[in-house]
Amino acid sequence: MSEHAPDDAALRDAMHRVRTEIGKAVVGQDGTVTGLLIALLARGHVLLEGVPGVAKTLLVRAFSRSLGLDTKRIQFTPDLMPGDVSGSLVYDARTGEFEFRAGPVFTHVVLADEINRTPPKTQAALLEAMEERQVSSDGVTRPLPEPFLVAATQNPIEHEGTYLLPEAQLDRFLLKLVVEVPGRDAELAVLRRHADGFDPRALEAAGVSQTVTPGEILAAQRAAAAVTVADDVLGYVVDLARATRESPSVQLGVSPRATTGLLAAAKAWAWLSGYPAITPDHVQTMLVPTWRHRIRLRPDAEIEGVSVDAILTSIQQQTRVPL
């Protein structure tokens, strides 16, 4: 055991306590909470898909509060401009010069609410921030704070007044998490909390408090990145990716960026689970959420009702697993 193991254990315990804090405000979304933690550890971004009313916004707010990170919410609308997201130059009459006024993207956690309700031009304002963690304006590059995470939400069943996210935008999200309607017991618990006076806008009153510091988050990110991986597991990831490109139902398989994303997500999940190295199980667990939004089906497969999740599950079952 390395001399840093106790520190890693303490960091891991702190990250697990985040789940408990979020549970004070959100019930029945344990899988989504884990996905958010994995994305944070892997320095990635998350696309949350779910019908209205399943606590997507509340989940992100509770997540940010438990981490002690600043968060800003951007309500994406058809008339939102790129400068409303990244910032813009504003003329200062006192000095006679233009000065940069930072947009809401300059924060630790950006909640991009209903991201598919704004035109592609404004959606693209997030591309540089998500990929390069910086904003360029008038020839000046301004770094974004660390840690930095974009959590975007979208409604899967509403199409009127929405704009499909282009592949280049989707590829910037490490994970696509489907936020399901909670089960009966969980929904009953939600109702009981509201009956007892719970206010989703008052997280402090609900008892949600900070459990880690930004420095600990950055240390946890470094620890997750240091998880080792054997060559045969790397080969397994590549074989899975090649299988998506050769599937008869798939028009566009995953890119090399998707393989690096799966590797990063598997590392984060392995570290969070207490493993010093990635196993094929970690890869399999993260396969669907990491790749489900990066594959384009053939039109005939879509007409037949084939789902990307089902194709990825089939590919996983048919690909040889290293021993």
Side-chain angles (χ1 to χ4, degrees):
M1 185 174 293
S2 74
E3 61 179 359
H4 297 295
D7 292 340
D8 273 5
L11 288 172
R12 194 176 295 111
D13 288 343
M15 299 307 294
H16 281 298
R17 286 198 299 273
V18 171
R19 303 169 187 262
T20 304
E21 291 302 307
I22 296 175
K24 295 176 181 178
V26 181
V27 179
Q29 300 295 350
D30 294 344
T32 308
V33 172
T34 299
L36 283 168
L37 282 173
I38 288 171
L40 178 71
L41 291 170
R43 302 182 79 245
H45 310 288
V46 179
L47 181 62
L48 300 171
E49 185 174 273
V51 297
V54 290
K56 298 187 295 294
T57 301
L58 176 61
L59 178 61
V60 175
R61 289 178 56 239
F63 178 72
S64 303
R65 182 172 179 81
S66 65
L67 294 168
L69 298 177
D70 293 330
T71 182
K72 291 180 181 175
R73 176 178 177 269
I74 308 173
Q75 180 62 56
F76 280 80
T77 56
D79 60 348
L80 195 71
M81 299 299 292
D84 297 330
V85 175
S86 58
S88 57
L89 292 174
V90 178
Y91 181 73
D92 188 338
R94 293 174 300 176
T95 62
E97 297 179 350
F98 285 91
E99 64 177 24
F100 181 76
R101 182 172 296 171
V105 76
F106 283 86
T107 188
H108 292 294
V109 178
V110 178
L111 173 56
D113 226 349
E114 297 185 294
I115 191 173
N116 57 335
R117 282 199 170 279
T118 201
K121 179 175 66 173
T122 305
Q123 292 174 1
L126 277 175
L127 281 176
E128 182 185 18
M130 294 172 69
E131 186 67 18
E132 306 295 336
R133 297 173 184 268
Q134 64 184 29
V135 169
S136 299
S137 176
D138 195 35
V140 179
T141 298
R142 297 172 174 84
L144 295 171
E146 288 285 357
F148 176 72
L149 180 145
V150 173
T153 72
Q154 68 176 12
N155 180 352
I157 62 172
E158 194 170 21
H159 300 292
E160 186 174 349
T162 63
Y163 304 82
L164 288 176
L165 293 176
E167 280 75 15
Q169 180 90 39
L170 287 170
D171 207 31
R172 262 61 176 190
F173 289 100
L174 177 67
L175 304 178
K176 178 182 176 182
L177 304 176
V178 178
V179 187
E180 304 283 1
V181 174
R184 185 182 188 280
D185 290 343
E187 190 167 2
L188 186 61
V190 170
L191 206 58
R192 168 47 57 195
R193 290 188 179 190
H194 280 266
D196 292 340
F198 172 71
D199 183 355
R201 292 173 292 276
L203 292 178
E204 186 175 355
V208 180
S209 59
Q210 179 179 350
T211 63
V212 294
T213 65
E216 288 174 327
I217 294 171
L218 296 177
Q221 289 177 338
R222 291 191 294 269
V227 169
T228 59
V229 54
D231 287 344
D232 57 349
V233 177
L234 289 177
Y236 180 50
V237 173
V238 171
D239 290 342
L240 289 167
R242 292 176 65 84
T244 68
R245 300 163 196 157
E246 297 167 359
S247 171
S249 299
V250 175
Q251 181 175 341
L252 181 65
V254 300
S255 68
R257 180 187 281 141
T259 60
T260 60
L262 179 55
L263 176 63
K267 278 189 171 189
W269 177 231
W271 181 83
L272 200 59
S273 303
Y275 285 79
I278 295 176
T279 69
D281 285 343
H282 298 127
V283 174
Q284 292 170 357
T285 300
M286 300 311 305
L287 177 67
V288 173
T290 309
W291 284 1
R292 61 162 47 119
H293 55 297
R294 305 172 192 262
I295 289 176
R296 182 191 295 174
L297 297 180
R298 294 187 182 278
D300 53 339
E302 290 183 342
I303 292 173
E304 293 172 4
V306 176
S307 73
V308 172
D309 286 15
I311 289 174
L312 288 172
T313 301
S314 175
I315 286 173
Q316 176 184 304
Q317 293 170 345
Q318 296 173 20
T319 304
R320 187 185 69 82
V321 181
L323 300 176

